[in-house]
Amino acid sequence: MPEWPEMENYRIRLSGLIAGQTITGVDVTRAKSINVEPALFEAELTGRTVWFIERKGKMLIFHLDNGKRLLLHLMLGGVMHFGTDEEAPERSVQVALRFQRGTLRFIGLRLGYLHLLTQKETEAQLKELGPDPFDQRLTLERFKERFKGKRGAIKTALVDQHVLSGIGNCYADEMAFEAGIRPDARIPELAPESWERLYSAMRTVLHDALNKGGYMELPLTTDDTLTGGYNEHCLVYDRSGEPCRRCGGTIVQAEISSRKMFYCPNCQQAR
């Protein structure tokens, strides 16, 4: 599932492609991916201009010139592609927004969605989200406060969007590795220095992943050489049985709260 780096990468790149551009047409091939009737969805969007694109956690918000928003959550398997009809990948497209410069295609929206909402409806859907990892108000002390009263594993809390927004399975494991903490370490047992390392690791890992384009499988455009570049840089996630690039030990896969977790038993012993 796309997380903070993937969605922020999309936001930056799409801002340069469609911000200020007018939607000239809409195609809906899967009505369940939207929240209104396809005919109304098309009528509401055609002729509207995308003012700017905002990210909240794992979601993107397309702000339209009439005050309405498009709220996108790609969920598991969702990707996007922007280009001409000739450049379109051979993939099933659930929704497409046409612009003069090309078409923005939403692919793999079997679990994800693109909803047309008012400002108030958008705010209602987002109000329970925790702070962004790079929120300037999220100091170390406030970061620690987000976990106050929780007694479960640190990974379980890190992927809880009410605690922090934008972190999922991949980067929770990568952050724990960077901090030298096992993902299943219990929150009450974490030492003060572990919290400091985890806070620093959160920003280091997410920023590095953004600079490398995240781990998406499909480039956003045909000339996009960045998106998906982080795939080969994951240090533990989805690398079960492979050697640790730091110590040479073996990466282990386990399960916690019905989620996979990947870690190095040698490098991640601290609590």
Side-chain angles (χ1 to χ4, degrees), residues 11-42:
R11 184 196 67 78
I12 293 170
R13 290 180 166 270
L14 285 174
S15 294
L17 292 169
I18 65 172
Q21 302 299 307
T22 299
I23 300 170
T24 60
V26 179
D27 300 316
V28 178
T29 57
R30 185 176 185 273
K32 290 183 179 181
S33 297
I34 59 177
N35 62 326
V36 298
E37 290 297 321
L40 177 60
F41 191 79
E42 179 179 356

PDB file of all heavy atoms in Angstrom, residues 11-42:
ATOM      1  N   ARG A  11       2.248  13.627  -5.237  1.00  0.00           N
ATOM      2  CA  ARG A  11       1.760  15.007  -5.094  1.00  0.00           C
ATOM      3  C   ARG A  11       2.690  15.997  -5.799  1.00  0.00           C
ATOM      4  O   ARG A  11       2.224  16.878  -6.532  1.00  0.00           O
ATOM      5  CB  ARG A  11       1.652  15.374  -3.604  1.00  0.00           C
ATOM      6  CG  ARG A  11       1.061  16.765  -3.359  1.00  0.00           C
ATOM      7  CD  ARG A  11       1.326  17.253  -1.948  1.00  0.00           C
ATOM      8  NE  ARG A  11       2.739  17.499  -1.696  1.00  0.00           N
ATOM      9  CZ  ARG A  11       3.392  18.590  -2.106  1.00  0.00           C
ATOM     10  NH1 ARG A  11       2.763  19.533  -2.802  1.00  0.00           N
ATOM     11  NH2 ARG A  11       4.676  18.741  -1.827  1.00  0.00           N
ATOM     12  N   ILE A  12       3.976  15.845  -5.570  1.00  0.00           N
ATOM     13  CA  ILE A  12       4.945  16.762  -6.174  1.00  0.00           C
ATOM     14  C   ILE A  12       4.893  16.673  -7.691  1.00  0.00           C
ATOM     15  O   ILE A  12       4.851  17.696  -8.393  1.00  0.00           O
ATOM     16  CB  ILE A  12       6.354  16.446  -5.657  1.00  0.00           C
ATOM     17  CG1 ILE A  12       6.458  16.764  -4.158  1.00  0.00           C
ATOM     18  CG2 ILE A  12       7.410  17.223  -6.439  1.00  0.00           C
ATOM     19  CD1 ILE A  12       7.735  16.265  -3.514  1.00  0.00           C
ATOM     20  N   ARG A  13       4.891  15.454  -8.202  1.00  0.00           N
ATOM     21  CA  ARG A  13       4.943  15.276  -9.652  1.00  0.00           C
ATOM     22  C   ARG A  13       3.633  15.681 -10.332  1.00  0.00           C
ATOM     23  O   ARG A  13       3.645  16.318 -11.384  1.00  0.00           O
ATOM     24  CB  ARG A  13       5.305  13.832  -9.992  1.00  0.00           C
ATOM     25  CG  ARG A  13       6.755  13.522  -9.638  1.00  0.00           C
ATOM     26  CD  ARG A  13       7.165  12.102  -9.951  1.00  0.00           C
ATOM     27  NE  ARG A  13       8.623  12.049  -9.871  1.00  0.00           N
ATOM     28  CZ  ARG A  13       9.433  12.275 -10.886  1.00  0.00           C
ATOM     29  NH1 ARG A  13       8.934  12.556 -12.073  1.00  0.00           N
ATOM     30  NH2 ARG A  13      10.742  12.227 -10.744  1.00  0.00           N
ATOM     31  N   LEU A  14       2.518  15.322  -9.725  1.00  0.00           N
ATOM     32  CA  LEU A  14       1.233  15.687 -10.320  1.00  0.00           C
ATOM     33  C   LEU A  14       0.998  17.192 -10.263  1.00  0.00           C
ATOM     34  O   LEU A  14       0.346  17.754 -11.140  1.00  0.00           O
ATOM     35  CB  LEU A  14       0.094  14.955  -9.615  1.00  0.00           C
ATOM     36  CG  LEU A  14      -0.059  13.472  -9.955  1.00  0.00           C
ATOM     37  CD1 LEU A  14      -1.132  12.840  -9.081  1.00  0.00           C
ATOM     38  CD2 LEU A  14      -0.405  13.296 -11.435  1.00  0.00           C
ATOM     39  N   SER A  15       1.528  17.847  -9.244  1.00  0.00           N
ATOM     40  CA  SER A  15       1.371  19.299  -9.142  1.00  0.00           C
ATOM     41  C   SER A  15       1.973  19.986 -10.364  1.00  0.00           C
ATOM     42  O   SER A  15       1.439  20.992 -10.851  1.00  0.00           O
ATOM     43  CB  SER A  15       2.034  19.818  -7.862  1.00  0.00           C
ATOM     44  OG  SER A  15       1.355  19.337  -6.719  1.00  0.00           O
ATOM     45  N   GLY A  16       3.072  19.453 -10.861  1.00  0.00           N
ATOM     46  CA  GLY A  16       3.698  20.032 -12.038  1.00  0.00           C
ATOM     47  C   GLY A  16       3.016  19.660 -13.337  1.00  0.00           C
ATOM     48  O   GLY A  16       3.246  20.292 -14.376  1.00  0.00           O
ATOM     49  N   LEU A  17       2.162  18.650 -13.283  1.00  0.00           N
ATOM     50  CA  LEU A  17       1.511  18.171 -14.507  1.00  0.00           C
ATOM     51  C   LEU A  17       0.079  18.696 -14.677  1.00  0.00           C
ATOM     52  O   LEU A  17      -0.330  19.021 -15.797  1.00  0.00           O
ATOM     53  CB  LEU A  17       1.483  16.636 -14.517  1.00  0.00           C
ATOM     54  CG  LEU A  17       2.832  15.930 -14.668  1.00  0.00           C
ATOM     55  CD1 LEU A  17       2.678  14.437 -14.384  1.00  0.00           C
ATOM     56  CD2 LEU A  17       3.384  16.139 -16.080  1.00  0.00           C
ATOM     57  N   ILE A  18      -0.694  18.762 -13.584  1.00  0.00           N
ATOM     58  CA  ILE A  18      -2.109  19.096 -13.755  1.00  0.00           C
ATOM     59  C   ILE A  18      -2.592  20.277 -12.930  1.00  0.00           C
ATOM     60  O   ILE A  18      -3.729  20.734 -13.130  1.00  0.00           O
ATOM     61  CB  ILE A  18      -3.008  17.873 -13.453  1.00  0.00           C
ATOM     62  CG1 ILE A  18      -2.903  17.478 -11.972  1.00  0.00           C
ATOM     63  CG2 ILE A  18      -2.652  16.703 -14.348  1.00  0.00           C
ATOM     64  CD1 ILE A  18      -3.904  16.399 -11.580  1.00  0.00           C
ATOM     65  N   ALA A  19      -1.787  20.798 -11.998  1.00  0.00           N
ATOM     66  CA  ALA A  19      -2.239  21.965 -11.241  1.00  0.00           C
ATOM     67  C   ALA A  19      -2.446  23.136 -12.184  1.00  0.00           C
ATOM     68  O   ALA A  19      -1.570  23.470 -12.988  1.00  0.00           O
ATOM     69  CB  ALA A  19      -1.224  22.324 -10.161  1.00  0.00           C
ATOM     70  N   GLY A  20      -3.614  23.753 -12.116  1.00  0.00           N
ATOM     71  CA  GLY A  20      -3.954  24.843 -13.016  1.00  0.00           C
ATOM     72  C   GLY A  20      -4.555  24.390 -14.330  1.00  0.00           C
ATOM     73  O   GLY A  20      -4.929  25.222 -15.166  1.00  0.00           O
ATOM     74  N   GLN A  21      -4.678  23.074 -14.516  1.00  0.00           N
ATOM     75  CA  GLN A  21      -5.222  22.531 -15.755  1.00  0.00           C
ATOM     76  C   GLN A  21      -6.703  22.186 -15.597  1.00  0.00           C
ATOM     77  O   GLN A  21      -7.169  21.850 -14.510  1.00  0.00           O
ATOM     78  CB  GLN A  21      -4.444  21.288 -16.175  1.00  0.00           C
ATOM     79  CG  GLN A  21      -2.948  21.525 -16.372  1.00  0.00           C
ATOM     80  CD  GLN A  21      -2.684  22.550 -17.461  1.00  0.00           C
ATOM     81  OE1 GLN A  21      -3.176  22.425 -18.585  1.00  0.00           O
ATOM     82  NE2 GLN A  21      -1.910  23.575 -17.124  1.00  0.00           N
ATOM     83  N   THR A  22      -7.418  22.245 -16.710  1.00  0.00           N
ATOM     84  CA  THR A  22      -8.858  21.980 -16.712  1.00  0.00           C
ATOM     85  C   THR A  22      -9.150  20.554 -17.155  1.00  0.00           C
ATOM     86  O   THR A  22      -8.542  20.044 -18.104  1.00  0.00           O
ATOM     87  CB  THR A  22      -9.582  22.958 -17.646  1.00  0.00           C
ATOM     88  OG1 THR A  22      -9.369  24.301 -17.163  1.00  0.00           O
ATOM     89  CG2 THR A  22     -11.081  22.674 -17.696  1.00  0.00           C
ATOM     90  N   ILE A  23     -10.080  19.920 -16.461  1.00  0.00           N
ATOM     91  CA  ILE A  23     -10.507  18.566 -16.807  1.00  0.00           C
ATOM     92  C   ILE A  23     -11.411  18.651 -18.045  1.00  0.00           C
ATOM     93  O   ILE A  23     -12.450  19.315 -18.016  1.00  0.00           O
ATOM     94  CB  ILE A  23     -11.262  17.904 -15.641  1.00  0.00           C
ATOM     95  CG1 ILE A  23     -10.357  17.830 -14.411  1.00  0.00           C
ATOM     96  CG2 ILE A  23     -11.760  16.520 -16.030  1.00  0.00           C
ATOM     97  CD1 ILE A  23     -11.077  17.407 -13.137  1.00  0.00           C
ATOM     98  N   THR A  24     -11.021  18.000 -19.120  1.00  0.00           N
ATOM     99  CA  THR A  24     -11.785  18.060 -20.374  1.00  0.00           C
ATOM    100  C   THR A  24     -12.702  16.867 -20.580  1.00  0.00           C
ATOM    101  O   THR A  24     -13.576  16.889 -21.440  1.00  0.00           O
ATOM    102  CB  THR A  24     -10.831  18.171 -21.580  1.00  0.00           C
ATOM    103  OG1 THR A  24      -9.974  17.010 -21.604  1.00  0.00           O
ATOM    104  CG2 THR A  24      -9.963  19.423 -21.473  1.00  0.00           C
ATOM    105  N   GLY A  25     -12.500  15.828 -19.793  1.00  0.00           N
ATOM    106  CA  GLY A  25     -13.338  14.640 -19.916  1.00  0.00           C
ATOM    107  C   GLY A  25     -13.068  13.669 -18.780  1.00  0.00           C
ATOM    108  O   GLY A  25     -12.029  13.722 -18.136  1.00  0.00           O
ATOM    109  N   VAL A  26     -14.037  12.793 -18.543  1.00  0.00           N
ATOM    110  CA  VAL A  26     -13.948  11.819 -17.450  1.00  0.00           C
ATOM    111  C   VAL A  26     -14.426  10.461 -17.953  1.00  0.00           C
ATOM    112  O   VAL A  26     -15.440  10.365 -18.641  1.00  0.00           O
ATOM    113  CB  VAL A  26     -14.806  12.246 -16.248  1.00  0.00           C
ATOM    114  CG1 VAL A  26     -14.716  11.217 -15.127  1.00  0.00           C
ATOM    115  CG2 VAL A  26     -14.392  13.625 -15.750  1.00  0.00           C
ATOM    116  N   ASP A  27     -13.688   9.420 -17.617  1.00  0.00           N
ATOM    117  CA  ASP A  27     -14.091   8.053 -17.945  1.00  0.00           C
ATOM    118  C   ASP A  27     -14.152   7.238 -16.661  1.00  0.00           C
ATOM    119  O   ASP A  27     -13.180   7.205 -15.902  1.00  0.00           O
ATOM    120  CB  ASP A  27     -13.088   7.398 -18.911  1.00  0.00           C
ATOM    121  CG  ASP A  27     -12.962   8.158 -20.219  1.00  0.00           C
ATOM    122  OD1 ASP A  27     -13.996   8.557 -20.774  1.00  0.00           O
ATOM    123  OD2 ASP A  27     -11.818   8.358 -20.661  1.00  0.00           O
ATOM    124  N   VAL A  28     -15.276   6.578 -16.435  1.00  0.00           N
ATOM    125  CA  VAL A  28     -15.436   5.712 -15.270  1.00  0.00           C
ATOM    126  C   VAL A  28     -15.805   4.320 -15.757  1.00  0.00           C
ATOM    127  O   VAL A  28     -16.830   4.133 -16.401  1.00  0.00           O
ATOM    128  CB  VAL A  28     -16.530   6.229 -14.314  1.00  0.00           C
ATOM    129  CG1 VAL A  28     -16.706   5.263 -13.136  1.00  0.00           C
ATOM    130  CG2 VAL A  28     -16.183   7.617 -13.800  1.00  0.00           C
ATOM    131  N   THR A  29     -14.951   3.349 -15.478  1.00  0.00           N
ATOM    132  CA  THR A  29     -15.229   1.971 -15.886  1.00  0.00           C
ATOM    133  C   THR A  29     -15.584   1.085 -14.695  1.00  0.00           C
ATOM    134  O   THR A  29     -15.956  -0.069 -14.878  1.00  0.00           O
ATOM    135  CB  THR A  29     -14.024   1.364 -16.630  1.00  0.00           C
ATOM    136  OG1 THR A  29     -12.873   1.422 -15.789  1.00  0.00           O
ATOM    137  CG2 THR A  29     -13.746   2.130 -17.919  1.00  0.00           C
ATOM    138  N   ARG A  30     -15.446   1.628 -13.494  1.00  0.00           N
ATOM    139  CA  ARG A  30     -15.833   0.887 -12.291  1.00  0.00           C
ATOM    140  C   ARG A  30     -16.530   1.839 -11.331  1.00  0.00           C
ATOM    141  O   ARG A  30     -15.899   2.640 -10.646  1.00  0.00           O
ATOM    142  CB  ARG A  30     -14.615   0.257 -11.615  1.00  0.00           C
ATOM    143  CG  ARG A  30     -14.975  -0.630 -10.417  1.00  0.00           C
ATOM    144  CD  ARG A  30     -13.738  -1.312  -9.847  1.00  0.00           C
ATOM    145  NE  ARG A  30     -14.081  -2.244  -8.785  1.00  0.00           N
ATOM    146  CZ  ARG A  30     -14.206  -1.928  -7.506  1.00  0.00           C
ATOM    147  NH1 ARG A  30     -13.981  -0.673  -7.109  1.00  0.00           N
ATOM    148  NH2 ARG A  30     -14.524  -2.841  -6.607  1.00  0.00           N
ATOM    149  N   ALA A  31     -17.846   1.753 -11.288  1.00  0.00           N
ATOM    150  CA  ALA A  31     -18.648   2.687 -10.500  1.00  0.00           C
ATOM    151  C   ALA A  31     -18.348   2.598  -9.005  1.00  0.00           C
ATOM    152  O   ALA A  31     -18.488   3.582  -8.277  1.00  0.00           O
ATOM    153  CB  ALA A  31     -20.130   2.438 -10.749  1.00  0.00           C
ATOM    154  N   LYS A  32     -17.904   1.428  -8.528  1.00  0.00           N
ATOM    155  CA  LYS A  32     -17.628   1.262  -7.107  1.00  0.00           C
ATOM    156  C   LYS A  32     -16.402   2.036  -6.655  1.00  0.00           C
ATOM    157  O   LYS A  32     -16.179   2.193  -5.446  1.00  0.00           O
ATOM    158  CB  LYS A  32     -17.460  -0.225  -6.781  1.00  0.00           C
ATOM    159  CG  LYS A  32     -18.760  -1.015  -6.862  1.00  0.00           C
ATOM    160  CD  LYS A  32     -18.524  -2.461  -6.449  1.00  0.00           C
ATOM    161  CE  LYS A  32     -19.827  -3.269  -6.504  1.00  0.00           C
ATOM    162  NZ  LYS A  32     -19.616  -4.683  -6.090  1.00  0.00           N
ATOM    163  N   SER A  33     -15.601   2.524  -7.602  1.00  0.00           N
ATOM    164  CA  SER A  33     -14.410   3.286  -7.234  1.00  0.00           C
ATOM    165  C   SER A  33     -14.737   4.740  -6.909  1.00  0.00           C
ATOM    166  O   SER A  33     -13.891   5.466  -6.396  1.00  0.00           O
ATOM    167  CB  SER A  33     -13.375   3.245  -8.374  1.00  0.00           C
ATOM    168  OG  SER A  33     -12.929   1.924  -8.593  1.00  0.00           O
ATOM    169  N   ILE A  34     -15.952   5.175  -7.220  1.00  0.00           N
ATOM    170  CA  ILE A  34     -16.377   6.541  -6.936  1.00  0.00           C
ATOM    171  C   ILE A  34     -17.587   6.504  -6.004  1.00  0.00           C
ATOM    172  O   ILE A  34     -18.093   5.425  -5.681  1.00  0.00           O
ATOM    173  CB  ILE A  34     -16.693   7.319  -8.221  1.00  0.00           C
ATOM    174  CG1 ILE A  34     -17.803   6.620  -9.019  1.00  0.00           C
ATOM    175  CG2 ILE A  34     -15.439   7.430  -9.091  1.00  0.00           C
ATOM    176  CD1 ILE A  34     -18.234   7.377 -10.270  1.00  0.00           C
ATOM    177  N   ASN A  35     -18.052   7.667  -5.576  1.00  0.00           N
ATOM    178  CA  ASN A  35     -19.117   7.717  -4.566  1.00  0.00           C
ATOM    179  C   ASN A  35     -20.422   8.303  -5.071  1.00  0.00           C
ATOM    180  O   ASN A  35     -21.368   8.459  -4.294  1.00  0.00           O
ATOM    181  CB  ASN A  35     -18.647   8.517  -3.352  1.00  0.00           C
ATOM    182  CG  ASN A  35     -18.324   9.963  -3.697  1.00  0.00           C
ATOM    183  OD1 ASN A  35     -17.847  10.246  -4.793  1.00  0.00           O
ATOM    184  ND2 ASN A  35     -18.581  10.874  -2.775  1.00  0.00           N
ATOM    185  N   VAL A  36     -20.485   8.654  -6.345  1.00  0.00           N
ATOM    186  CA  VAL A  36     -21.726   9.157  -6.941  1.00  0.00           C
ATOM    187  C   VAL A  36     -21.941   8.435  -8.259  1.00  0.00           C
ATOM    188  O   VAL A  36     -21.052   7.729  -8.746  1.00  0.00           O
ATOM    189  CB  VAL A  36     -21.688  10.690  -7.160  1.00  0.00           C
ATOM    190  CG1 VAL A  36     -21.537  11.419  -5.837  1.00  0.00           C
ATOM    191  CG2 VAL A  36     -20.548  11.067  -8.104  1.00  0.00           C
ATOM    192  N   GLU A  37     -23.107   8.620  -8.863  1.00  0.00           N
ATOM    193  CA  GLU A  37     -23.370   7.988 -10.148  1.00  0.00           C
ATOM    194  C   GLU A  37     -22.362   8.471 -11.191  1.00  0.00           C
ATOM    195  O   GLU A  37     -22.020   9.672 -11.214  1.00  0.00           O
ATOM    196  CB  GLU A  37     -24.792   8.299 -10.615  1.00  0.00           C
ATOM    197  CG  GLU A  37     -25.875   7.618  -9.802  1.00  0.00           C
ATOM    198  CD  GLU A  37     -25.798   6.102  -9.901  1.00  0.00           C
ATOM    199  OE1 GLU A  37     -25.503   5.597 -11.015  1.00  0.00           O
ATOM    200  OE2 GLU A  37     -25.996   5.424  -8.880  1.00  0.00           O
ATOM    201  N   PRO A  38     -21.867   7.584 -12.046  1.00  0.00           N
ATOM    202  CA  PRO A  38     -20.864   7.973 -13.049  1.00  0.00           C
ATOM    203  C   PRO A  38     -21.259   9.185 -13.891  1.00  0.00           C
ATOM    204  O   PRO A  38     -20.413  10.046 -14.165  1.00  0.00           O
ATOM    205  CB  PRO A  38     -20.731   6.715 -13.908  1.00  0.00           C
ATOM    206  CG  PRO A  38     -21.029   5.595 -12.961  1.00  0.00           C
ATOM    207  CD  PRO A  38     -22.117   6.128 -12.069  1.00  0.00           C
ATOM    208  N   ALA A  39     -22.522   9.274 -14.279  1.00  0.00           N
ATOM    209  CA  ALA A  39     -22.956  10.405 -15.103  1.00  0.00           C
ATOM    210  C   ALA A  39     -22.824  11.721 -14.332  1.00  0.00           C
ATOM    211  O   ALA A  39     -22.396  12.743 -14.886  1.00  0.00           O
ATOM    212  CB  ALA A  39     -24.403  10.202 -15.556  1.00  0.00           C
ATOM    213  N   LEU A  40     -23.183  11.699 -13.055  1.00  0.00           N
ATOM    214  CA  LEU A  40     -23.063  12.898 -12.217  1.00  0.00           C
ATOM    215  C   LEU A  40     -21.590  13.218 -11.965  1.00  0.00           C
ATOM    216  O   LEU A  40     -21.190  14.390 -11.991  1.00  0.00           O
ATOM    217  CB  LEU A  40     -23.796  12.689 -10.888  1.00  0.00           C
ATOM    218  CG  LEU A  40     -23.696  13.838  -9.872  1.00  0.00           C
ATOM    219  CD1 LEU A  40     -24.273  15.119 -10.459  1.00  0.00           C
ATOM    220  CD2 LEU A  40     -24.418  13.465  -8.571  1.00  0.00           C
ATOM    221  N   PHE A  41     -20.790  12.205 -11.730  1.00  0.00           N
ATOM    222  CA  PHE A  41     -19.352  12.374 -11.513  1.00  0.00           C
ATOM    223  C   PHE A  41     -18.729  13.071 -12.720  1.00  0.00           C
ATOM    224  O   PHE A  41     -17.968  14.033 -12.581  1.00  0.00           O
ATOM    225  CB  PHE A  41     -18.716  10.993 -11.292  1.00  0.00           C
ATOM    226  CG  PHE A  41     -17.300  11.015 -10.807  1.00  0.00           C
ATOM    227  CD1 PHE A  41     -16.998  11.253  -9.475  1.00  0.00           C
ATOM    228  CD2 PHE A  41     -16.252  10.768 -11.683  1.00  0.00           C
ATOM    229  CE1 PHE A  41     -15.685  11.247  -9.018  1.00  0.00           C
ATOM    230  CE2 PHE A  41     -14.936  10.766 -11.238  1.00  0.00           C
ATOM    231  CZ  PHE A  41     -14.656  11.005  -9.906  1.00  0.00           C
ATOM    232  N   GLU A  42     -19.064  12.602 -13.910  1.00  0.00           N
ATOM    233  CA  GLU A  42     -18.531  13.196 -15.140  1.00  0.00           C
ATOM    234  C   GLU A  42     -19.013  14.632 -15.311  1.00  0.00           C
ATOM    235  O   GLU A  42     -18.231  15.535 -15.651  1.00  0.00           O
ATOM    236  CB  GLU A  42     -18.946  12.355 -16.341  1.00  0.00           C
ATOM    237  CG  GLU A  42     -18.457  12.905 -17.667  1.00  0.00           C
ATOM    238  CD  GLU A  42     -18.848  12.038 -18.848  1.00  0.00           C
ATOM    239  OE1 GLU A  42     -19.435  10.961 -18.639  1.00  0.00           O
ATOM    240  OE2 GLU A  42     -18.562  12.454 -19.993  1.00  0.00           O
TER     241      GLU A  42
END
